[in-house]
Amino acid sequence: MREIAAEPLTAEAFAPFGDVLEAAGPYDKLINEGLCGRWHDRARLDFGTGRAGISIFRAEPRALPYDCTLLERHPEGSQAFLPLHQAPFLVIVAPDAGGQPGAPRAFLTAPGQGINLYRGTWHGVLTPLSPPGLFAVVDRIGEGANLEEVRLEDPVRVTG
Ligand SMILES: NC(=O)N[C@@H](O)C(=O)O
Ligand code: NI
């Protein structure tokens, strides 16, 4: 069993895997009569031959240390997880290594952060760490297979 420590999620560290969505730094536009900041167009969405869909996920909370036994990717589209709460959640990603996941990395979100996984990024499934585990998910709706799963021969234990 490999062991890795979860890192704080930052846009820089996550850049090879996707976007971090947060109201951080100066807003791009002030709208609604000056009553709303807009952090504009902050994610690289890609739905290939499909279309964008918004779904609601209610995922069972897990606990740290967390044993990750499966990684997956969506070859046909990006996937964004936008928490409908302010609780941190766990994000596990990995680079591609010849069509298989490479060395995994784990990130702990700050309250209010969401993520957008780039099309084809290896990742663990949605992993909340506290109830209610509610998220809006923006991903591809379309024909054809869009899920590749790899069960890890050497699971990864993620510590806090
Ligand atoms: N399968 C599904 O809709 N969700 C996963 O892709 C996930 O990353 O949680
Ligand atoms: Ni996924």
Side-chain angles (χ1 to χ4, degrees), residues 2-155:
R2 297 170 276 180
E3 188 166 299
I4 60 174
E7 310 164 49
L9 181 66
T10 66
E12 296 73 21
F14 201 64
F17 308 106
D19 310 289
V20 175
L21 298 161
E22 57 184 336
Y27 48 69
D28 299 307
K29 299 182 179 184
L30 191 59
I31 59 173
N32 300 352
E33 297 179 318
L35 298 178
C36 178
R38 176 171 174 145
W39 283 260
H40 178 70
D41 192 18
R42 290 300 182 98
R44 191 171 87 204
L45 303 181
D46 182 346
F47 305 110
T49 59
R51 64 175 176 80
I54 298 179
S55 305
I56 301 296
F57 282 26
R58 183 170 59 208
E60 287 301 317
R62 278 62 156 200
L64 294 176
Y66 171 73
D67 292 349
C68 177
T69 61
L70 179 137
L71 292 175
E72 63 169 45
R73 65 178 173 178
H74 308 297
E76 300 305 323
S78 55
Q79 186 173 51
F81 293 104
L82 308 171
L84 300 178
H85 51 71
Q86 288 286 314
F89 63 100
L90 183 62
V91 179
I92 300 171
V93 289
D96 185 55
Q100 294 291 311
R105 290 178 68 183
F107 296 94
L108 202 55
T109 67
Q113 285 183 324
I115 62 163
N116 174 59
L117 296 162
Y118 293 148
R119 176 175 178 172
T121 294
W122 290 106
H123 60 282
V125 298
L126 178 60
T127 310
L129 296 173
S130 56
L134 277 176
F135 292 75
V137 179
V138 182
D139 61 6
R140 178 186 184 269
I141 308 297
E143 298 301 312
N146 187 30
L147 176 61
E148 289 178 27
E149 294 177 313
V150 171
R151 195 154 296 282
L152 300 179
E153 290 175 11
D154 183 10

